[in-house]
Amino acid sequence: MNIANTYNQSRKYKIFKRLFILTVIVPNILELLLMNRFPLPGGFGFLILVILSLYYIPVASIFGRSIFVTETVIAPHGVKGILLSVIFYSVPYLLWWIFIIRPRNK
Protein backbone atom coordinates (compact mmCIF):
# COMPACT_ATOMS: atom_id res chain seq x y z
CA MET A 1 0.00 0.00 0.00
CA ASN A 2 1.30 3.39 -0.87
CA ILE A 3 0.85 6.55 1.17
CA ALA A 4 -1.82 8.06 -1.11
CA ASN A 5 -3.97 4.94 -0.81
CA THR A 6 -3.56 4.94 2.97
CA TYR A 7 -4.61 8.61 3.09
CA ASN A 8 -7.70 7.91 0.96
CA GLN A 9 -8.66 4.99 3.20
CA SER A 10 -8.34 7.09 6.36
CA ARG A 11 -10.35 9.92 4.77
CA LYS A 12 -13.10 7.49 3.75
CA TYR A 13 -13.16 6.11 7.28
CA LYS A 14 -13.46 9.59 8.84
CA ILE A 15 -16.34 10.50 6.53
CA PHE A 16 -18.00 7.16 7.26
CA LYS A 17 -17.65 7.62 11.01
CA ARG A 18 -19.01 11.17 11.02
CA LEU A 19 -21.99 10.34 8.83
CA PHE A 20 -22.80 7.28 10.95
CA ILE A 21 -22.73 9.34 14.14
CA LEU A 22 -24.89 12.10 12.62
CA THR A 23 -27.50 9.86 11.03
CA VAL A 24 -27.73 6.91 13.42
CA ILE A 25 -26.36 7.73 16.85
CA VAL A 26 -27.38 11.39 17.44
CA PRO A 27 -31.09 11.11 16.50
CA ASN A 28 -31.60 7.99 18.58
CA ILE A 29 -29.75 9.42 21.58
CA LEU A 30 -31.93 12.54 21.37
CA GLU A 31 -35.04 10.36 21.21
CA LEU A 32 -33.90 8.36 24.24
CA LEU A 33 -33.33 11.59 26.16
CA LEU A 34 -36.78 12.86 25.21
CA MET A 35 -38.40 9.53 26.10
CA ASN A 36 -36.85 9.76 29.56
CA ARG A 37 -38.09 13.37 29.95
CA PHE A 38 -34.66 14.95 29.86
CA PRO A 39 -35.22 18.73 29.68
CA LEU A 40 -33.71 20.32 26.62
CA PRO A 41 -32.61 23.96 26.86
CA GLY A 42 -35.02 26.53 25.55
CA GLY A 43 -37.95 24.13 25.40
CA PHE A 44 -36.97 22.69 22.03
CA GLY A 45 -38.23 19.24 22.97
CA PHE A 46 -41.39 19.32 20.86
CA LEU A 47 -39.56 20.82 17.88
CA ILE A 48 -36.99 18.02 18.04
CA LEU A 49 -39.81 15.47 18.30
CA VAL A 50 -41.36 16.87 15.12
CA ILE A 51 -38.03 16.77 13.28
CA LEU A 52 -37.32 13.23 14.51
CA SER A 53 -40.81 12.27 13.41
CA LEU A 54 -39.62 12.66 9.82
CA TYR A 55 -36.63 10.47 10.67
CA TYR A 56 -38.83 7.65 11.99
CA ILE A 57 -41.42 7.62 9.16
CA PRO A 58 -39.74 4.86 7.08
CA VAL A 59 -39.13 2.61 10.08
CA ALA A 60 -42.63 3.12 11.48
CA SER A 61 -44.23 2.38 8.11
CA ILE A 62 -42.42 -0.95 7.97
CA PHE A 63 -42.73 -2.12 11.58
CA GLY A 64 -46.13 -0.67 12.40
CA ARG A 65 -48.03 0.88 15.24
CA SER A 66 -47.25 -1.73 17.86
CA ILE A 67 -43.66 -0.48 18.10
CA PHE A 68 -44.12 3.19 17.10
CA VAL A 69 -46.46 5.87 18.38
CA THR A 70 -48.14 7.63 15.45
CA GLU A 71 -50.68 10.01 17.00
CA THR A 72 -49.25 13.54 17.04
CA VAL A 73 -45.64 12.73 16.18
CA ILE A 74 -44.01 9.50 15.08
CA ALA A 75 -41.76 8.19 17.82
CA PRO A 76 -40.52 4.82 19.06
CA HIS A 77 -42.69 3.23 21.72
CA GLY A 78 -39.94 2.05 24.03
CA VAL A 79 -36.45 0.73 23.50
CA LYS A 80 -37.59 -1.80 20.87
CA GLY A 81 -38.35 1.02 18.46
CA ILE A 82 -34.98 2.67 19.11
CA LEU A 83 -33.15 -0.60 18.46
CA LEU A 84 -35.12 -1.25 15.27
CA SER A 85 -34.34 2.21 13.95
CA VAL A 86 -30.64 1.81 14.78
CA ILE A 87 -30.57 -1.49 12.90
CA PHE A 88 -32.62 -0.08 10.00
CA TYR A 89 -30.34 2.93 9.51
CA SER A 90 -27.14 0.93 10.14
CA VAL A 91 -27.66 -1.49 7.24
CA PRO A 92 -26.59 1.00 4.51
CA TYR A 93 -23.46 1.81 6.53
CA LEU A 94 -22.69 -1.86 6.95
CA LEU A 95 -22.95 -2.36 3.19
CA TRP A 96 -20.83 0.75 2.64
CA TRP A 97 -18.21 -0.65 5.01
CA ILE A 98 -18.15 -4.07 3.34
CA PHE A 99 -18.00 -2.93 -0.27
CA ILE A 100 -16.22 0.44 -0.22
CA ILE A 101 -14.20 1.18 2.90
CA ARG A 102 -12.86 -2.19 3.95
CA PRO A 103 -9.26 -2.56 2.79
CA ARG A 104 -8.76 -5.11 0.05
CA ASN A 105 -6.10 -7.79 0.31
CA LYS A 106 -3.99 -7.85 -2.82
Side-chain angles (χ1 to χ4, degrees):
M1 275 175 70
N2 59 18
I3 293 179
N5 193 17
T6 304
Y7 174 74
N8 287 336
Q9 283 296 115
S10 68
R11 194 176 79 204
K12 285 181 190 176
Y13 180 71
K14 286 179 185 176
I15 292 169
F16 174 82
K17 183 174 66 171
R18 289 178 185 153
L19 282 174
F20 182 78
I21 288 171
L22 283 174
T23 60
V24 177
I25 303 298
V26 170
N28 290 302
I29 293 288
L30 278 174
E31 186 65 38
L32 277 173
L33 290 174
L34 291 171
M35 283 172 48
N36 292 319
R37 296 191 172 122
F38 184 80
L40 293 176
F44 289 113
F46 187 73
L47 179 65
I48 290 176
L49 276 175
V50 171
I51 292 169
L52 287 178
S53 179
L54 298 172
Y55 177 79
Y56 289 114
I57 285 174
V59 188
S61 65
I62 293 171
F63 295 105
R65 291 184 178 178
S66 62
I67 299 175
F68 287 86
V69 176
T70 57
E71 287 133 10
T72 56
V73 294
I74 298 172
H77 185 64
V79 178
K80 293 185 294 187
I82 296 286
L83 291 175
L84 279 173
S85 68
V86 167
I87 292 169
F88 180 82
Y89 285 110
S90 293
V91 168
Y93 289 100
L94 179 64
L95 294 174
W96 186 15
W97 177 264
I98 290 171
F99 293 113
I100 296 174
I101 295 180
R102 187 176 51 130
R104 309 272 191 260
N105 292 332
K106 292 182 180 183

